[in-house]
Amino acid sequence: MSGQTPEAGWYHDPFGTPGLLRYWNGAQWTQATRAAEEAGVAAPAHDGAGPQAPAASSAGASPSGEDSRPPGGKQPNWNLSRPSFEPPAEPPAPLPRQPAKEPAPAPPSGGSGPLWALGGGGALLVVLVVLVAAFATGIAGGREEPEAAPAGPTVSPAAPSADPAARSPVVGTITDSGLSYPRLGGRWRPRPLDPDDNLARAYGFNRVQSAVVQEDYDGTGGRYVASIASGRLPEAIAYDGPEDLEAAITELARAMETEPPPTGSYPAHIREDLQSQPRSIDGHRAHYLKFRLSFPQAAARGWNFRTETVAFVLVDQGPEQRPSVLWVTMPDSHVNGGDLELVVESIKVP
């Protein structure tokens, strides 16, 4: 697509926090924020529209800038739907206000006996003044101010309680695109993948299994899921041999992470890179890439997940074949958080 990536600088928070600026480092949004008043501006720190974070997508519910040139200087012939700027953030949908909390019960009246025990009418007057002041300031009982209702489709559920070490049962083996890996049971189900589905058409995936982590997460019936998919590296990404493994998987991961709605995989997020390292799988050279996505808007929108861990494995299959790809994306509310490592550790080249 045409256009240029906006330069680094302070811009209005893409997640919709009023009066807050967030720093765009030229590649992605960072955790650095500051109040617009402190910056002495009422508009973005740069003229024109700043970079926008991608909006939430029901497709991301299924599975959501740096220079696109890969390490080593080779420019892939990439023509997927990767935007040259971050797409606009989706404004939070308003909700009916939640009912205010019930007022706290006033302390029971205990009669006048204890007051007179302080001795004399002067003591009684002092105690009465103190009690009136206490009730007026909310220290002693009285009505509690109602809390403002959060923006979003639903009331925020409890924070994720998944076990990061628990693993789903292995009920079989999937062999696809030159790889074999576990077929999981429990909440996992095979997902039919139509050839016209964006995962197949744009990214070359053939097999998908998924586990629902939240029904109707977006208020329109959309499901948010953990996913495991396998396939071949798309022809649109340049690949001439094992020396291109890191550049190719980095480009594929970035395209899938930043693709906008309606086909994008992830809501607006902040990315944290965790691992990028070469590996060997059954004598085949491979590269492993892992990062975490954080969703600052999750609590306000009623999502039961706050982060999502994403892993890609690219395996060279020799000069006559495109490399094999395995993609695992795991929200932190998935009950068995150890499934990502279970799958990655079990990859084989049959």
Side-chain angles (χ1 to χ4, degrees), residues 100-115:
K101 289 184 178 179
E102 290 293 329
S109 58
S112 58
L115 296 177

Side-chain angles (χ1 to χ4, degrees), residues 15-188:
F15 306 108
T17 305
L20 186 70
L21 302 180
R22 187 176 296 277
Y23 192 74
W24 170 262
N25 66 8
Q28 63 182 9
W29 293 107
T30 70
Q31 298 281 8
T33 59
R34 64 189 299 186
E37 291 78 3
E38 295 176 3
V41 294
H46 291 78
D47 292 337
Q52 301 285 327
S57 153
S58 61
S62 318
S64 152
E66 64 187 21
D67 185 0
S68 63
R69 185 178 302 277
K74 175 169 286 188
Q75 177 63 54
N77 177 24
W78 179 249
N79 61 7
L80 300 183
S81 55
R82 172 186 178 182
S84 57
F85 61 90
E86 295 292 337
E90 175 184 341
L95 263 190
R97 293 182 62 83
Q98 300 301 315
K101 289 184 178 179
E102 290 293 329
S109 58
S112 58
L115 296 177
W116 290 112
L118 295 175
L124 171 60
L125 179 59
V126 171
V127 172
L128 288 175
V129 171
V130 172
L131 286 176
V132 169
F135 276 96
T137 57
I139 296 175
R143 181 178 298 274
E144 183 177 357
E145 289 296 323
E147 294 183 353
T154 58
V155 176
S156 176
S161 58
D163 184 346
R167 297 185 172 193
S168 298
V170 175
V171 297
T173 300
I174 294 176
T175 301
D176 173 60
S177 303
L179 298 177
S180 69
Y181 56 95
R183 181 164 67 88
L184 303 182
R187 298 190 178 189
W188 291 92

Side-chain angles (χ1 to χ4, degrees), residues 5-347:
T5 302
E7 64 182 16
W10 293 96
Y11 297 93
H12 283 307
D13 183 25
F15 306 108
T17 305
L20 186 70
L21 302 180
R22 187 176 296 277
Y23 192 74
W24 170 262
N25 66 8
Q28 63 182 9
W29 293 107
T30 70
Q31 298 281 8
T33 59
R34 64 189 299 186
E37 291 78 3
E38 295 176 3
V41 294
H46 291 78
D47 292 337
Q52 301 285 327
S57 153
S58 61
S62 318
S64 152
E66 64 187 21
D67 185 0
S68 63
R69 185 178 302 277
K74 175 169 286 188
Q75 177 63 54
N77 177 24
W78 179 249
N79 61 7
L80 300 183
S81 55
R82 172 186 178 182
S84 57
F85 61 90
E86 295 292 337
E90 175 184 341
L95 263 190
R97 293 182 62 83
Q98 300 301 315
K101 289 184 178 179
E102 290 293 329
S109 58
S112 58
L115 296 177
W116 290 112
L118 295 175
L124 171 60
L125 179 59
V126 171
V127 172
L128 288 175
V129 171
V130 172
L131 286 176
V132 169
F135 276 96
T137 57
I139 296 175
R143 181 178 298 274
E144 183 177 357
E145 289 296 323
E147 294 183 353
T154 58
V155 176
S156 176
S161 58
D163 184 346
R167 297 185 172 193
S168 298
V170 175
V171 297
T173 300
I174 294 176
T175 301
D176 173 60
S177 303
L179 298 177
S180 69
Y181 56 95
R183 181 164 67 88
L184 303 182
R187 298 190 178 189
W188 291 92
R189 298 289 184 274
R191 173 185 159 194
L193 194 59
D194 188 281
D196 290 331
D197 187 293
N198 192 57
L199 285 178
R201 177 178 49 80
Y203 299 118
F205 290 108
N206 300 315
R207 299 285 297 273
V208 180
Q209 52 184 318
S210 60
V212 177
V213 300
Q214 186 173 1
E215 299 277 2
D216 193 24
Y217 87 103
D218 57 0
T220 63
R223 290 177 164 183
Y224 208 89
V225 302
S227 293
I228 304 167
S230 57
R232 297 279 185 175
L233 185 71
E235 294 288 344
I237 298 181
Y239 186 82
D240 293 329
E243 67 279 2
D244 291 336
L245 282 166
E246 181 177 5
I249 199 60
T250 299
E251 183 68 10
L252 176 63
R254 178 64 70 180
M256 293 184 66
E257 177 210 342
T258 60
E259 183 177 2
T263 54
S265 294
Y266 302 103
H269 58 266
I270 297 172
R271 171 172 165 166
E272 175 191 2
D273 291 321
L274 301 176
Q275 279 183 280
S276 180
Q277 58 184 213
R279 291 192 174 186
S280 178
I281 300 177
D282 293 331
H284 292 252
R285 290 175 62 181
H287 197 89
Y288 178 60
L289 182 66
K290 181 180 180 183
F291 52 89
R292 181 181 296 115
L293 306 179
S294 300
F295 308 108
Q297 72 278 36
R301 296 188 181 180
W303 300 344
N304 69 6
F305 53 95
R306 302 294 182 267
T307 67
E308 186 158 357
T309 303
V310 185
F312 286 86
V313 181
L314 185 65
V315 183
D316 181 74
Q317 294 287 359
E320 303 300 323
Q321 301 183 70
R322 297 291 289 174
S324 305
V325 179
L326 186 77
W327 169 52
V328 185
T329 183
M330 202 77 61
D332 59 358
S333 58
H334 176 60
V335 291
N336 294 325
D339 285 350
L340 186 149
E341 297 302 330
L342 167 63
V343 172
V344 169
E345 293 168 359
S346 302
I347 300 173

